[in-house]
């Protein structure tokens, strides 16, 4: 009897042990499942990008487009908006107060002004290994130049929204006016001048639209590869491109001919961006320079004034060395940095959140919105009508602001829906991508620029004030073009030698230097 009860007891004990183990396994499995399904919660600072809808929002986190994004990505976002006009100062304040969110968006790369030295100070974590393992699509798609701009000391710190084609600007032409002249599209600078002369003969008010500071109107400077905001290597020295006396003189001679013959506005040196656009929209212009992505907008606006107008993009005129086009842009728009205090698990999930941005699901959402509300599907194809009212356009752009990581070359899904969009894609891929002027860029900018502001480029596409002033005087005939060597000597004597020394020291050390080549 004792034997029997002993066996029964052992059996009960065994069942209890097995039951206990099973319960522990079930509990552990439930905890792991809960952890997998747990929403990713993280804070993030982003710019308003100047979007009116964003800047009017009382609480961006309660906007339906943000909540839909959270639904799609199983995330809980705490977004902190920074007005674009105050971006650098607000970023600096954020870093100095040490109130830094989990993710920080920057306009530009890792060591630009907005980051206020935070990457160098160790505020953010290096991401090389995490991106390679958990964001392979991003790792593969981002060009090396974009990784360069989001790196420091050989380590990747930022995930960029990138441009696979940094050649963005194009030469626009009124093809209907060109047809009236009987001339072919210009290929060289001489051809370009002859087309402008023919435009003048048929009554075009501004055969070529030029504006202040040669901004968005640097076609001739590009043909001679002397964009005054850019640096290049001459021999073994890094110098501004305007140091090329021969080609700079030829470019100025071409512009002076355009001025003397009335092929550009007499008051070009004071024409604002607003008046520049008004002249084009009113149908008063034969050729101009602008971002190729604006093709549809130009066609729609000019046809309002001139119903039969036909606007195309043509290859920019080539100079004696067969260069042409406009400046190449930076390879990034914005970039994203992860707080070094994050746990590895959370950092991985944030990386995966950005990786989702490369999926077809993300492209459809950011391009078209919500099915049944902003678009429909017919026979497997998207049916979408772009908004036309200003407030609706702002809201549409607001949704696009949250497409944080993708190729920003153009929105292919949307552009392919219209003839103008398809034309723009073709022009960008077959014309604009084959031209453009590379340079030696310094990120962050040269410190000596702050000591000599008149010698510092006024922007990525605008030369130093001192240089622009002399260019204008020579085009107006107030100074001889033959004096250009004196302009270079003046530049050197007024602080340029210090700029040159710093530029060459940085270049030789490879410290924050990004080199891009001219395109043919």
């Amino acid at each position: 009897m004792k034997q029997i009860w002993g066996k029964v007891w052992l059996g009960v004990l065994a069942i209890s042990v097995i039951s206990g183990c099973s319960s522990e396994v079930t509990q552990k499995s439930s905890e792991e499942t809960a952890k997998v399904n747990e929403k990713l919660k993280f804070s993030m600072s982003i710019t308003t990008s100047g979007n009116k809808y964003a800047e009017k929002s009382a609480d961006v986190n309660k906007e339906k487009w943000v909540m839909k994004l959270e639904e799609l990505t199983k995330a809980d976002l705490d977004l902190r908006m920074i007005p674009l006009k105050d971006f650098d100062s607000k970023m600096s304040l954020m870093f100095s107060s040490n109130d830094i969110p989990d993710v920080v968006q920057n306009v530009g790369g890792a060591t630009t002004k907005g980051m206020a030295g935070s990457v160098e100070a160790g505020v953010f974590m290096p991401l090389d290994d995490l991106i390679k393992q958990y964001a392979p699509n991003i790792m593969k798609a981002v060009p090396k130049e974009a990784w360069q701009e989001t790196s420091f000391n050989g380590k990747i710190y930022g995930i960029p929204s990138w441009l696979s084609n940094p050649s963005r600007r194009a030469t626009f032409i009124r093809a209907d006016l060109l047809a009236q002249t009987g001339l072919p599209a210009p290929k060289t600078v001489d051809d370009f001048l002859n087309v402008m002369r023919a435009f003048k003969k048929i009554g075009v008010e501004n055969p070529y639209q030029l504006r202040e500071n040669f901004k968005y109107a640097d076609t001739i400077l590009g043909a001679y590869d002397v964009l005054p905001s850019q640096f290049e290597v001459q021999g073994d020295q890094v110098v501004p491109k305007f140091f090329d006396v021969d080609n700079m003189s030829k470019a100025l001679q071409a512009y002076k001919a355009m001025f003397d013959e009335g092929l550009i506005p007499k008051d070009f040196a004071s024409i604002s961006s607003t008046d520049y656009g008004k002249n084009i929209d009113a149908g008063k212009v034969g050729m101009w320079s602008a971002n190729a992505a604006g093709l549809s907008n130009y066609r729609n606006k000019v046809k309002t004034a001139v119903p039969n107008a036909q606007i195309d993009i043509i290859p920019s005129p080539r100079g004696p060395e067969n260069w042409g086009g406009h400046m190449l842009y930076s390879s990034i728009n914005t970039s994203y940095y992860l707080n070094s205090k994050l746990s590895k698990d959370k950092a991985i999930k944030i990386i995966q959140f950005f990786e989702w941005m490369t999926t077809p699901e993300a492209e459809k959402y950011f391009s078209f919105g919500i099915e049944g509300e902003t678009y429909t599907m017919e026979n497997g194809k998207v049916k979408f009508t772009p908004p036309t009212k200003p407030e609706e356009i702002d809201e549409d752009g607001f949704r696009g602001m949250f497409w944080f990581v993708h190729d920003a070359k153009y929105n292919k899904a949307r552009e392919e829906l219209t003839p103008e969009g398809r034309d723009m894609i073709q022009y960008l891929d077959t014309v604009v991508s084959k031209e453009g002027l590379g340079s030696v860029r310094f990120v962050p900018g040269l410190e000596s620029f702050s000591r000599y502001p008149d010698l510092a480029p006024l922007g990525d596409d605008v030369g130093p004030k001192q240089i622009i002033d002399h260019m204008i005087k020579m085009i107006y005939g107030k100074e001889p073009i033959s004096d250009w060597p004196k302009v270079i000597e003046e530049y050197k004597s007024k602080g340029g030698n210090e700029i040159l020394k710093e530029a060459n020291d940085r270049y030789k050390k490879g410290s924050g230097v990004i080199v891009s080549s001219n395109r043919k």
Side-chain angles (χ1 to χ4, degrees):
M1 190 69 175
K2 287 182 180 177
Q3 255 187 331
I4 293 171
W5 278 111
K7 289 179 179 178
V8 171
W9 175 248
L10 286 172
V12 171
L13 183 63
I15 291 169
S16 298
V17 171
I18 292 169
S19 176
C21 290
S22 175
S23 176
E24 288 177 13
V25 170
T26 302
Q27 184 179 353
K28 188 175 181 181
S29 177
S30 298
E31 288 174 356
E32 288 176 350
T33 302
K35 192 171 182 180
V36 168
N37 293 328
E38 184 182 346
K39 270 194 172 184
L40 164 65
K41 295 182 180 182
F42 69 98
S43 57
M44 182 176 181
S45 62
I46 64 173
T47 174
T48 60
S49 299
N51 181 279
K52 292 179 182 177
Y53 188 94
E55 293 180 347
K56 289 178 181 177
S57 177
D59 184 353
V60 68
N61 294 291
K62 293 181 180 178
E63 296 287 348
K64 70 176 181 180
W65 300 116
V66 174
M67 291 190 287
K68 183 63 177 179
L69 174 60
E70 292 177 325
E71 176 190 325
L72 292 170
T73 58
K74 296 181 176 61
D76 183 358
L77 305 176
D78 173 17
L79 296 173
R80 308 174 188 181
M81 302 294 284
I82 301 176
L84 182 62
K85 62 183 179 66
D86 303 322
F87 186 75
D88 285 344
S89 62
K90 294 288 186 183
M91 286 279 280
S92 181
L93 181 62
M94 179 180 72
F95 290 124
S96 63
S97 66
N98 205 30
D99 180 21
I100 303 168
D102 297 325
V103 181
V104 170
Q105 179 198 62
N106 184 41
V107 179
T111 54
T112 53
K113 186 178 179 181
M115 295 301 282
S118 56
V119 170
E120 297 92 319
V123 173
F124 300 102
M125 63 172 64
L127 302 174
D128 304 67
D129 295 338
L130 293 179
I131 296 171
K132 287 174 185 176
Q133 186 169 354
Y134 298 102
N137 290 326
I138 293 175
M139 192 77 236
K140 181 179 179 181
V142 174
K144 67 175 184 178
E145 292 84 3
W147 286 131
Q148 278 184 302
E149 294 198 49
T150 59
S151 296
F152 173 67
N153 279 347
K155 292 285 186 181
I156 295 172
Y157 283 86
I159 300 174
S161 177
W162 70 94
L163 285 171
S164 59
N165 175 16
S167 185
R168 312 295 297 158
R169 297 183 180 180
T171 300
F172 285 71
I173 192 167
R174 282 279 302 279
D176 56 310
L177 297 177
L178 182 66
Q180 289 182 43
T181 69
L183 294 173
K187 293 182 179 179
T188 66
V189 173
D190 287 341
D191 294 341
F192 194 67
L193 290 168
N194 286 332
V195 168
M196 283 188 279
R197 290 172 180 132
F199 280 167
K200 189 73 175 175
K201 285 181 181 178
I202 63 173
V204 179
E205 185 173 329
N206 296 320
Y208 182 71
Q209 183 64 54
L210 201 60
R211 70 180 255 201
E212 59 183 352
N213 294 329
F214 301 91
K215 187 177 176 69
Y216 271 103
D218 49 15
T219 312
I220 297 297
L221 294 168
Y224 289 100
D225 193 15
V226 286
L227 298 179
S229 61
Q230 293 187 326
F231 283 75
E232 67 179 354
V233 178
Q234 289 183 12
D236 61 351
Q237 294 292 306
V238 174
V239 296
K241 286 189 175 182
F242 59 76
F243 271 39
D244 183 342
V245 174
D246 182 46
N247 281 311
M248 192 69 196
S249 300
K250 289 176 180 176
L252 290 169
Q253 286 161 3
Y255 275 123
K256 189 170 190 324
M258 291 160 66
F259 176 79
D260 291 343
E261 297 177 37
L263 307 180
I264 56 177
K266 291 296 183 184
D267 58 346
F268 75 87
S270 59
I271 289 180
S272 67
S273 60
T274 300
D275 290 337
Y276 176 83
K278 283 181 179 178
N279 287 341
I280 296 169
D281 295 345
K284 298 178 180 180
V285 178
M287 289 185 285
W288 67 94
S289 297
N291 196 308
L295 176 66
S296 176
N297 188 45
Y298 280 120
R299 282 182 173 176
N300 292 334
K301 287 186 175 180
V302 176
K303 281 189 176 182
T304 300
V306 186
N308 295 323
Q310 182 181 342
I311 296 173
D312 290 334
I313 288 174
I314 59 172
S316 299
R318 300 277 171 158
E321 298 174 359
N322 200 29
W323 303 126
H326 307 76
M327 56 162 274
L328 294 180
Y329 277 44
S330 160
S331 292
I332 66 172
N333 287 339
T334 52
S335 50
Y336 304 85
Y337 301 82
L338 276 61
N339 197 312
S340 59
K341 295 178 182 178
L342 288 172
S343 69
K344 184 177 180 181
D345 285 345
K346 191 169 185 178
I348 288 170
K349 288 182 178 180
I350 292 172
I351 295 289
Q352 291 171 329
F353 169 85
F354 287 126
E355 175 78 344
W356 175 82
M357 300 275 168
T358 66
T359 65
E361 181 183 37
E363 180 183 42
K364 182 176 284 188
Y365 173 64
F366 292 116
S367 300
F368 306 116
I370 299 172
E371 185 176 356
E373 186 175 327
T374 52
Y375 75 95
T376 57
M377 296 297 295
E378 291 185 8
N379 300 319
K381 293 185 177 180
V382 171
K383 187 174 180 62
F384 173 78
T385 302
T388 54
K389 295 179 179 179
E391 61 273 16
E392 292 174 348
I393 292 172
D394 289 337
E395 185 176 354
D396 186 68
F398 173 78
R399 184 183 66 253
M401 284 169 46
F402 305 107
W403 198 358
F404 300 124
V405 175
H406 71 294
D407 184 357
K409 178 173 68 171
Y410 47 66
N411 188 324
K412 186 176 181 181
R414 279 179 71 149
E415 298 296 348
E416 286 184 333
L417 297 179
T418 65
E420 289 79 13
R422 291 191 290 272
D423 283 352
M424 185 272 291
I425 289 174
Q426 181 182 6
Y427 286 134
L428 263 174
D429 289 348
T430 63
V431 177
V432 181
S433 64
K434 293 181 169 63
E435 62 186 38
L437 290 311
S439 64
V440 178
R441 294 176 53 230
F442 299 97
V443 181
L446 299 175
E447 292 180 4
S448 49
F449 283 160
S450 62
R451 295 193 294 275
Y452 306 103
D454 283 353
L455 305 186
L458 298 175
D460 287 342
D461 59 347
V462 178
K465 182 182 182 302
Q466 182 225 15
I467 299 302
I468 296 293
D469 287 348
H470 282 293
M471 290 171 64
I472 291 170
K473 289 175 182 177
M474 289 178 179
I475 293 169
Y476 278 129
K478 295 180 179 179
E479 290 180 3
I481 294 173
S482 58
D483 274 358
W484 194 255
K486 295 180 181 178
V487 174
I488 295 174
E489 291 307 312
E490 179 188 358
Y491 171 88
K492 289 179 179 179
S493 67
K494 290 187 174 181
N497 281 328
E498 287 189 45
I499 292 172
L500 292 173
K501 183 179 185 308
E502 183 186 356
N504 280 277
D505 288 345
R506 287 268 299 269
Y507 179 75
K508 288 170 185 175
K509 293 175 183 176
S511 175
V513 179
I514 297 170
V515 180
S516 55
S517 301
N518 290 358
R519 296 191 169 191
K520 278 191 177 182

